[in-house]
mmCIF file of all heavy atoms in Angstrom:
data_model
loop_
_atom_site.group_PDB
_atom_site.id
_atom_site.type_symbol
_atom_site.label_atom_id
_atom_site.label_comp_id
_atom_site.label_asym_id
_atom_site.label_seq_id
_atom_site.Cartn_x
_atom_site.Cartn_y
_atom_site.Cartn_z
ATOM 1 N N PRO A 1 22.038 73.430 74.875
ATOM 2 C CA PRO A 1 21.210 74.097 75.890
ATOM 3 C C PRO A 1 21.896 75.329 76.475
ATOM 4 O O PRO A 1 22.387 75.328 77.602
ATOM 5 C CB PRO A 1 21.013 73.006 76.951
ATOM 6 C CG PRO A 1 22.242 72.161 76.823
ATOM 7 C CD PRO A 1 22.608 72.166 75.378
ATOM 8 N N ILE A 2 21.942 76.395 75.679
ATOM 9 C CA ILE A 2 22.588 77.632 76.126
ATOM 10 C C ILE A 2 21.647 78.806 75.859
ATOM 11 O O ILE A 2 20.846 78.776 74.931
ATOM 12 C CB ILE A 2 23.925 77.872 75.401
ATOM 13 C CG1 ILE A 2 23.715 77.932 73.881
ATOM 14 C CG2 ILE A 2 24.945 76.797 75.752
ATOM 15 C CD1 ILE A 2 24.953 78.321 73.098
ATOM 16 N N PRO A 3 21.746 79.862 76.673
ATOM 17 C CA PRO A 3 20.907 81.049 76.445
ATOM 18 C C PRO A 3 21.528 81.935 75.370
ATOM 19 O O PRO A 3 22.754 82.032 75.237
ATOM 20 C CB PRO A 3 20.913 81.740 77.802
ATOM 21 C CG PRO A 3 22.228 81.348 78.412
ATOM 22 C CD PRO A 3 22.523 79.956 77.923
ATOM 23 N N ILE A 4 20.676 82.594 74.583
ATOM 24 C CA ILE A 4 21.152 83.494 73.543
ATOM 25 C C ILE A 4 20.101 84.562 73.311
ATOM 26 O O ILE A 4 18.900 84.288 73.407
ATOM 27 C CB ILE A 4 21.450 82.713 72.239
ATOM 28 C CG1 ILE A 4 22.052 83.643 71.184
ATOM 29 C CG2 ILE A 4 20.193 82.047 71.711
ATOM 30 C CD1 ILE A 4 22.517 82.917 69.932
ATOM 31 N N LYS A 5 20.543 85.773 73.034
ATOM 32 C CA LYS A 5 19.598 86.848 72.751
ATOM 33 C C LYS A 5 18.973 86.648 71.375
ATOM 34 O O LYS A 5 19.614 86.144 70.463
ATOM 35 C CB LYS A 5 20.303 88.199 72.830
ATOM 36 C CG LYS A 5 20.671 88.596 74.252
ATOM 37 C CD LYS A 5 21.220 90.008 74.307
ATOM 38 C CE LYS A 5 21.496 90.414 75.763
ATOM 39 N NZ LYS A 5 22.005 91.812 75.845
ATOM 40 N N ALA A 6 17.726 87.082 71.248
ATOM 41 C CA ALA A 6 16.965 86.840 70.023
ATOM 42 C C ALA A 6 17.658 87.422 68.792
ATOM 43 O O ALA A 6 17.673 86.808 67.725
ATOM 44 C CB ALA A 6 15.558 87.427 70.164
ATOM 45 N N LYS A 7 18.236 88.609 68.913
ATOM 46 C CA LYS A 7 18.857 89.246 67.748
ATOM 47 C C LYS A 7 20.046 88.435 67.235
ATOM 48 O O LYS A 7 20.270 88.355 66.014
ATOM 49 C CB LYS A 7 19.289 90.664 68.081
ATOM 50 C CG LYS A 7 20.263 90.779 69.252
ATOM 51 C CD LYS A 7 20.536 92.236 69.591
ATOM 52 C CE LYS A 7 21.459 92.376 70.795
ATOM 53 N NZ LYS A 7 21.677 93.813 71.148
ATOM 54 N N TYR A 8 20.795 87.821 68.134
ATOM 55 C CA TYR A 8 21.933 87.004 67.699
ATOM 56 C C TYR A 8 21.463 85.685 67.088
ATOM 57 O O TYR A 8 22.082 85.175 66.154
ATOM 58 C CB TYR A 8 22.865 86.747 68.877
ATOM 59 C CG TYR A 8 23.453 88.005 69.460
ATOM 60 C CD1 TYR A 8 23.418 88.246 70.831
ATOM 61 C CD2 TYR A 8 24.031 88.969 68.637
ATOM 62 C CE1 TYR A 8 23.959 89.410 71.370
ATOM 63 C CE2 TYR A 8 24.554 90.137 69.167
ATOM 64 C CZ TYR A 8 24.514 90.353 70.534
ATOM 65 O OH TYR A 8 25.043 91.508 71.060
ATOM 66 N N LEU A 9 20.375 85.151 67.625
ATOM 67 C CA LEU A 9 19.827 83.919 67.072
ATOM 68 C C LEU A 9 19.392 84.130 65.621
ATOM 69 O O LEU A 9 19.659 83.290 64.747
ATOM 70 C CB LEU A 9 18.638 83.452 67.906
ATOM 71 C CG LEU A 9 17.941 82.168 67.429
ATOM 72 C CD1 LEU A 9 18.880 80.972 67.558
ATOM 73 C CD2 LEU A 9 16.667 81.916 68.232
ATOM 74 N N VAL A 10 18.734 85.258 65.343
ATOM 75 C CA VAL A 10 18.290 85.562 63.980
ATOM 76 C C VAL A 10 19.486 85.693 63.050
ATOM 77 O O VAL A 10 19.485 85.163 61.930
ATOM 78 C CB VAL A 10 17.448 86.857 63.972
ATOM 79 C CG1 VAL A 10 17.174 87.305 62.540
ATOM 80 C CG2 VAL A 10 16.147 86.646 64.719
ATOM 81 N N ILE A 11 20.521 86.398 63.495
ATOM 82 C CA ILE A 11 21.718 86.589 62.665
ATOM 83 C C ILE A 11 22.375 85.251 62.350
ATOM 84 O O ILE A 11 22.760 84.984 61.203
ATOM 85 C CB ILE A 11 22.716 87.532 63.360
ATOM 86 C CG1 ILE A 11 22.126 88.945 63.442
ATOM 87 C CG2 ILE A 11 24.051 87.542 62.628
ATOM 88 C CD1 ILE A 11 22.957 89.905 64.274
ATOM 89 N N ILE A 12 22.483 84.389 63.363
ATOM 90 C CA ILE A 12 23.120 83.083 63.164
ATOM 91 C C ILE A 12 22.331 82.242 62.181
ATOM 92 O O ILE A 12 22.891 81.631 61.258
ATOM 93 C CB ILE A 12 23.270 82.353 64.516
ATOM 94 C CG1 ILE A 12 24.310 83.067 65.378
ATOM 95 C CG2 ILE A 12 23.656 80.889 64.307
ATOM 96 C CD1 ILE A 12 24.400 82.541 66.797
ATOM 97 N N TYR A 13 21.011 82.192 62.361
ATOM 98 C CA TYR A 13 20.176 81.409 61.451
ATOM 99 C C TYR A 13 20.279 81.949 60.023
ATOM 100 O O TYR A 13 20.344 81.186 59.054
ATOM 101 C CB TYR A 13 18.714 81.427 61.905
ATOM 102 C CG TYR A 13 18.326 80.214 62.712
ATOM 103 C CD1 TYR A 13 18.133 80.282 64.093
ATOM 104 C CD2 TYR A 13 18.143 78.987 62.087
ATOM 105 C CE1 TYR A 13 17.774 79.160 64.821
ATOM 106 C CE2 TYR A 13 17.774 77.867 62.806
ATOM 107 C CZ TYR A 13 17.599 77.955 64.176
ATOM 108 O OH TYR A 13 17.258 76.848 64.899
ATOM 109 N N GLY A 14 20.267 83.272 59.890
ATOM 110 C CA GLY A 14 20.372 83.869 58.564
ATOM 111 C C GLY A 14 21.681 83.521 57.875
ATOM 112 O O GLY A 14 21.704 83.186 56.687
ATOM 113 N N LEU A 15 22.784 83.563 58.616
ATOM 114 C CA LEU A 15 24.092 83.235 58.047
ATOM 115 C C LEU A 15 24.182 81.762 57.667
ATOM 116 O O LEU A 15 24.770 81.411 56.639
ATOM 117 C CB LEU A 15 25.200 83.600 59.045
ATOM 118 C CG LEU A 15 25.410 85.098 59.290
ATOM 119 C CD1 LEU A 15 26.456 85.315 60.382
ATOM 120 C CD2 LEU A 15 25.832 85.795 57.998
ATOM 121 N N ILE A 16 23.598 80.895 58.489
ATOM 122 C CA ILE A 16 23.602 79.460 58.172
ATOM 123 C C ILE A 16 22.832 79.204 56.878
ATOM 124 O O ILE A 16 23.295 78.455 56.002
ATOM 125 C CB ILE A 16 22.990 78.649 59.334
ATOM 126 C CG1 ILE A 16 23.918 78.673 60.544
ATOM 127 C CG2 ILE A 16 22.730 77.204 58.905
ATOM 128 C CD1 ILE A 16 23.340 78.018 61.785
ATOM 129 N N GLU A 17 21.660 79.813 56.747
ATOM 130 C CA GLU A 17 20.863 79.622 55.536
ATOM 131 C C GLU A 17 21.595 80.161 54.310
ATOM 132 O O GLU A 17 21.561 79.548 53.238
ATOM 133 C CB GLU A 17 19.509 80.320 55.681
ATOM 134 C CG GLU A 17 18.584 79.683 56.701
ATOM 135 C CD GLU A 17 18.255 78.238 56.362
ATOM 136 O OE1 GLU A 17 17.909 77.969 55.189
ATOM 137 O OE2 GLU A 17 18.348 77.387 57.246
ATOM 138 N N LEU A 18 22.254 81.311 54.456
ATOM 139 C CA LEU A 18 23.002 81.882 53.340
ATOM 140 C C LEU A 18 24.155 80.970 52.933
ATOM 141 O O LEU A 18 24.376 80.714 51.741
ATOM 142 C CB LEU A 18 23.534 83.263 53.722
ATOM 143 C CG LEU A 18 24.335 83.994 52.638
ATOM 144 C CD1 LEU A 18 23.468 84.247 51.406
ATOM 145 C CD2 LEU A 18 24.880 85.312 53.183
ATOM 146 N N PHE A 19 24.882 80.452 53.915
ATOM 147 C CA PHE A 19 26.015 79.554 53.639
ATOM 148 C C PHE A 19 25.548 78.300 52.904
ATOM 149 O O PHE A 19 26.123 77.905 51.879
ATOM 150 C CB PHE A 19 26.695 79.163 54.950
ATOM 151 C CG PHE A 19 27.758 78.110 54.801
ATOM 152 C CD1 PHE A 19 29.026 78.438 54.354
ATOM 153 C CD2 PHE A 19 27.471 76.784 55.094
ATOM 154 C CE1 PHE A 19 30.002 77.459 54.214
ATOM 155 C CE2 PHE A 19 28.438 75.797 54.954
ATOM 156 C CZ PHE A 19 29.714 76.139 54.510
ATOM 157 N N GLU A 20 24.486 77.676 53.412
ATOM 158 C CA GLU A 20 24.011 76.427 52.808
ATOM 159 C C GLU A 20 23.360 76.680 51.453
ATOM 160 O O GLU A 20 23.445 75.832 50.549
ATOM 161 C CB GLU A 20 23.032 75.733 53.761
ATOM 162 C CG GLU A 20 23.702 75.258 55.042
ATOM 163 C CD GLU A 20 22.776 74.463 55.934
ATOM 164 O OE1 GLU A 20 21.548 74.583 55.758
ATOM 165 O OE2 GLU A 20 23.277 73.739 56.808
ATOM 166 N N GLY A 21 22.702 77.821 51.286
ATOM 167 C CA GLY A 21 22.114 78.142 49.995
ATOM 168 C C GLY A 21 23.167 78.366 48.925
ATOM 169 O O GLY A 21 23.026 77.906 47.794
ATOM 170 N N VAL A 22 24.250 79.070 49.274
ATOM 171 C CA VAL A 22 25.321 79.346 48.314
ATOM 172 C C VAL A 22 26.049 78.073 47.924
ATOM 173 O O VAL A 22 26.360 77.845 46.749
ATOM 174 C CB VAL A 22 26.313 80.377 48.900
ATOM 175 C CG1 VAL A 22 27.570 80.464 48.038
ATOM 176 C CG2 VAL A 22 25.648 81.743 49.010
ATOM 177 N N HIS A 23 26.315 77.209 48.894
ATOM 178 C CA HIS A 23 27.079 75.995 48.614
ATOM 179 C C HIS A 23 26.236 74.922 47.925
ATOM 180 O O HIS A 23 26.779 74.067 47.232
ATOM 181 C CB HIS A 23 27.687 75.438 49.901
ATOM 182 C CG HIS A 23 28.895 76.211 50.355
ATOM 183 N ND1 HIS A 23 28.795 77.437 50.982
ATOM 184 C CD2 HIS A 23 30.223 75.956 50.239
ATOM 185 C CE1 HIS A 23 30.015 77.886 51.257
ATOM 186 N NE2 HIS A 23 30.891 77.020 50.818
ATOM 187 N N ASN A 24 24.905 74.942 48.154
ATOM 188 C CA ASN A 24 24.001 74.044 47.424
ATOM 189 C C ASN A 24 24.483 72.600 47.458
ATOM 190 O O ASN A 24 24.746 71.972 46.434
ATOM 191 C CB ASN A 24 23.860 74.507 45.971
ATOM 192 C CG ASN A 24 22.737 73.781 45.249
ATOM 193 O OD1 ASN A 24 21.781 73.320 45.858
ATOM 194 N ND2 ASN A 24 22.861 73.661 43.931
ATOM 195 N N PHE A 25 24.615 72.058 48.657
ATOM 196 C CA PHE A 25 25.120 70.704 48.825
ATOM 197 C C PHE A 25 24.210 69.689 48.135
ATOM 198 O O PHE A 25 22.987 69.793 48.186
ATOM 199 C CB PHE A 25 25.236 70.361 50.306
ATOM 200 C CG PHE A 25 26.215 71.239 51.042
ATOM 201 C CD1 PHE A 25 25.772 72.140 51.989
ATOM 202 C CD2 PHE A 25 27.562 71.177 50.760
ATOM 203 C CE1 PHE A 25 26.659 72.965 52.667
ATOM 204 C CE2 PHE A 25 28.465 71.987 51.436
ATOM 205 C CZ PHE A 25 28.018 72.886 52.380
ATOM 206 N N SER A 26 24.814 68.686 47.504
ATOM 207 C CA SER A 26 24.050 67.715 46.718
ATOM 208 C C SER A 26 23.091 66.895 47.566
ATOM 209 O O SER A 26 22.058 66.452 47.096
ATOM 210 C CB SER A 26 25.015 66.780 45.971
ATOM 211 O OG SER A 26 25.858 66.100 46.888
ATOM 212 N N PHE A 27 23.433 66.680 48.840
ATOM 213 C CA PHE A 27 22.601 65.866 49.720
ATOM 214 C C PHE A 27 21.497 66.681 50.393
ATOM 215 O O PHE A 27 20.694 66.143 51.144
ATOM 216 C CB PHE A 27 23.471 65.218 50.806
ATOM 217 C CG PHE A 27 24.265 66.219 51.621
ATOM 218 C CD1 PHE A 27 23.686 66.884 52.690
ATOM 219 C CD2 PHE A 27 25.578 66.503 51.292
ATOM 220 C CE1 PHE A 27 24.402 67.809 53.431
ATOM 221 C CE2 PHE A 27 26.310 67.426 52.025
ATOM 222 C CZ PHE A 27 25.727 68.086 53.091
ATOM 223 N N ASP A 28 21.450 67.960 50.102
ATOM 224 C CA ASP A 28 20.546 68.869 50.801
ATOM 225 C C ASP A 28 19.356 69.202 49.911
ATOM 226 O O ASP A 28 19.524 69.735 48.815
ATOM 227 C CB ASP A 28 21.314 70.148 51.166
ATOM 228 C CG ASP A 28 20.521 71.050 52.092
ATOM 229 O OD1 ASP A 28 19.365 70.713 52.397
ATOM 230 O OD2 ASP A 28 21.070 72.080 52.519
ATOM 231 N N ASN A 29 18.150 68.888 50.367
ATOM 232 C CA ASN A 29 16.942 69.219 49.595
ATOM 233 C C ASN A 29 16.106 70.285 50.289
ATOM 234 O O ASN A 29 14.910 70.407 50.043
ATOM 235 C CB ASN A 29 16.101 67.963 49.363
ATOM 236 C CG ASN A 29 15.596 67.356 50.658
ATOM 237 O OD1 ASN A 29 16.017 67.754 51.738
ATOM 238 N ND2 ASN A 29 14.690 66.398 50.554
ATOM 239 N N VAL A 30 16.744 71.063 51.179
ATOM 240 C CA VAL A 30 16.051 72.131 51.902
ATOM 241 C C VAL A 30 16.046 73.401 51.055
ATOM 242 O O VAL A 30 17.046 73.741 50.415
ATOM 243 C CB VAL A 30 16.739 72.402 53.255
ATOM 244 C CG1 VAL A 30 16.059 73.558 53.985
ATOM 245 C CG2 VAL A 30 16.722 71.145 54.116
ATOM 246 N N ALA A 31 14.921 74.115 51.056
ATOM 247 C CA ALA A 31 14.783 75.347 50.261
ATOM 248 C C ALA A 31 15.351 76.532 51.042
ATOM 249 O O ALA A 31 14.613 77.375 51.562
ATOM 250 C CB ALA A 31 13.320 75.575 49.902
ATOM 251 N N HIS A 32 16.681 76.610 51.118
ATOM 252 C CA HIS A 32 17.330 77.649 51.915
ATOM 253 C C HIS A 32 17.029 79.050 51.397
ATOM 254 O O HIS A 32 16.861 79.992 52.180
ATOM 255 C CB HIS A 32 18.842 77.413 51.935
ATOM 256 C CG HIS A 32 19.249 76.125 52.559
ATOM 257 N ND1 HIS A 32 19.125 75.880 53.913
ATOM 258 C CD2 HIS A 32 19.757 74.984 52.013
ATOM 259 C CE1 HIS A 32 19.556 74.662 54.181
ATOM 260 N NE2 HIS A 32 19.938 74.095 53.049
ATOM 261 N N TRP A 33 16.944 79.209 50.072
ATOM 262 C CA TRP A 33 16.681 80.538 49.527
ATOM 263 C C TRP A 33 15.256 80.983 49.838
ATOM 264 O O TRP A 33 14.998 82.186 49.995
ATOM 265 C CB TRP A 33 16.942 80.549 48.022
ATOM 266 C CG TRP A 33 18.399 80.392 47.696
ATOM 267 C CD1 TRP A 33 19.001 79.316 47.113
ATOM 268 C CD2 TRP A 33 19.444 81.339 47.975
ATOM 269 N NE1 TRP A 33 20.353 79.538 46.997
ATOM 270 C CE2 TRP A 33 20.662 80.759 47.513
ATOM 271 C CE3 TRP A 33 19.478 82.604 48.551
ATOM 272 C CZ2 TRP A 33 21.877 81.416 47.621
ATOM 273 C CZ3 TRP A 33 20.700 83.261 48.675
ATOM 274 C CH2 TRP A 33 21.872 82.674 48.205
ATOM 275 N N ALA A 34 14.337 80.038 49.941
ATOM 276 C CA ALA A 34 12.973 80.386 50.353
ATOM 277 C C ALA A 34 12.968 80.880 51.798
ATOM 278 O O ALA A 34 12.246 81.825 52.142
ATOM 279 C CB ALA A 34 12.050 79.180 50.193
ATOM 280 N N HIS A 35 13.773 80.257 52.649
ATOM 281 C CA HIS A 35 13.885 80.704 54.044
ATOM 282 C C HIS A 35 14.393 82.142 54.096
ATOM 283 O O HIS A 35 13.845 82.987 54.807
ATOM 284 C CB HIS A 35 14.845 79.798 54.814
ATOM 285 C CG HIS A 35 14.382 78.375 54.893
ATOM 286 N ND1 HIS A 35 15.172 77.364 55.411
ATOM 287 C CD2 HIS A 35 13.220 77.783 54.522
ATOM 288 C CE1 HIS A 35 14.508 76.225 55.346
ATOM 289 N NE2 HIS A 35 13.325 76.456 54.813
ATOM 290 N N LEU A 36 15.453 82.394 53.318
ATOM 291 C CA LEU A 36 15.990 83.755 53.282
ATOM 292 C C LEU A 36 14.990 84.719 52.671
ATOM 293 O O LEU A 36 14.910 85.885 53.076
ATOM 294 C CB LEU A 36 17.297 83.763 52.479
ATOM 295 C CG LEU A 36 18.483 83.053 53.137
ATOM 296 C CD1 LEU A 36 19.638 82.921 52.153
ATOM 297 C CD2 LEU A 36 18.937 83.813 54.378
ATOM 298 N N GLY A 37 14.209 84.237 51.704
ATOM 299 C CA GLY A 37 13.174 85.077 51.107
ATOM 300 C C GLY A 37 12.120 85.493 52.116
ATOM 301 O O GLY A 37 11.660 86.636 52.117
ATOM 302 N N GLY A 38 11.736 84.563 52.994
ATOM 303 C CA GLY A 38 10.782 84.889 54.040
ATOM 304 C C GLY A 38 11.318 85.957 54.980
ATOM 305 O O GLY A 38 10.600 86.892 55.366
ATOM 306 N N MET A 39 12.606 85.854 55.320
ATOM 307 C CA MET A 39 13.228 86.857 56.188
ATOM 308 C C MET A 39 13.338 88.196 55.474
ATOM 309 O O MET A 39 13.107 89.254 56.084
ATOM 310 C CB MET A 39 14.617 86.372 56.627
ATOM 311 C CG MET A 39 14.605 85.082 57.430
ATOM 312 S SD MET A 39 16.257 84.540 57.948
ATOM 313 C CE MET A 39 16.500 85.561 59.398
ATOM 314 N N LEU A 40 13.674 88.168 54.191
ATOM 315 C CA LEU A 40 13.840 89.414 53.427
ATOM 316 C C LEU A 40 12.518 90.162 53.308
ATOM 317 O O LEU A 40 12.457 91.380 53.571
ATOM 318 C CB LEU A 40 14.389 89.083 52.036
ATOM 319 C CG LEU A 40 14.664 90.275 51.120
ATOM 320 C CD1 LEU A 40 15.792 91.122 51.677
ATOM 321 C CD2 LEU A 40 15.018 89.801 49.710
ATOM 322 N N PHE A 41 11.465 89.456 52.914
ATOM 323 C CA PHE A 41 10.160 90.108 52.789
ATOM 324 C C PHE A 41 9.663 90.583 54.151
ATOM 325 O O PHE A 41 9.029 91.638 54.254
ATOM 326 C CB PHE A 41 9.155 89.151 52.153
ATOM 327 C CG PHE A 41 9.162 89.174 50.651
ATOM 328 C CD1 PHE A 41 10.167 88.543 49.947
ATOM 329 C CD2 PHE A 41 8.171 89.838 49.945
ATOM 330 C CE1 PHE A 41 10.186 88.556 48.559
ATOM 331 C CE2 PHE A 41 8.173 89.869 48.554
ATOM 332 C CZ PHE A 41 9.197 89.224 47.859
ATOM 333 N N GLY A 42 9.941 89.805 55.203
ATOM 334 C CA GLY A 42 9.548 90.217 56.543
ATOM 335 C C GLY A 42 10.254 91.484 56.980
ATOM 336 O O GLY A 42 9.642 92.383 57.580
ATOM 337 N N PHE A 43 11.542 91.583 56.654
ATOM 338 C CA PHE A 43 12.327 92.769 57.029
ATOM 339 C C PHE A 43 11.762 94.019 56.370
ATOM 340 O O PHE A 43 11.544 95.046 57.031
ATOM 341 C CB PHE A 43 13.786 92.561 56.621
ATOM 342 C CG PHE A 43 14.662 93.756 56.870
ATOM 343 C CD1 PHE A 43 15.160 94.013 58.135
ATOM 344 C CD2 PHE A 43 14.959 94.634 55.838
ATOM 345 C CE1 PHE A 43 15.966 95.125 58.375
ATOM 346 C CE2 PHE A 43 15.762 95.742 56.056
ATOM 347 C CZ PHE A 43 16.265 95.983 57.328
#
């Protein structure tokens, strides 16, 4: 429960998705690259 500016929140989320997408953990079934794709096309 902490305040954060929107621009930093986006950067943090983007870096988390990139990290998890690159590492491709075996227990993870989340489509991280699709998340990044949504951000890329939006940008």
Side-chain angles (χ1 to χ4, degrees):
I2 58 173
I4 184 173
K5 289 187 176 181
K7 58 185 178 182
Y8 298 131
L9 179 66
V10 171
I11 293 172
I12 291 172
Y13 263 106
L15 291 175
I16 290 174
E17 291 300 313
L18 180 61
F19 173 80
E20 294 185 341
V22 169
H23 283 77
N24 191 26
F25 297 112
S26 59
F27 56 83
D28 189 357
N29 63 350
V30 177
H32 298 291
W33 292 111
H35 298 172
L36 291 170
M39 299 181 82
L40 182 66
F41 273 76
F43 176 80

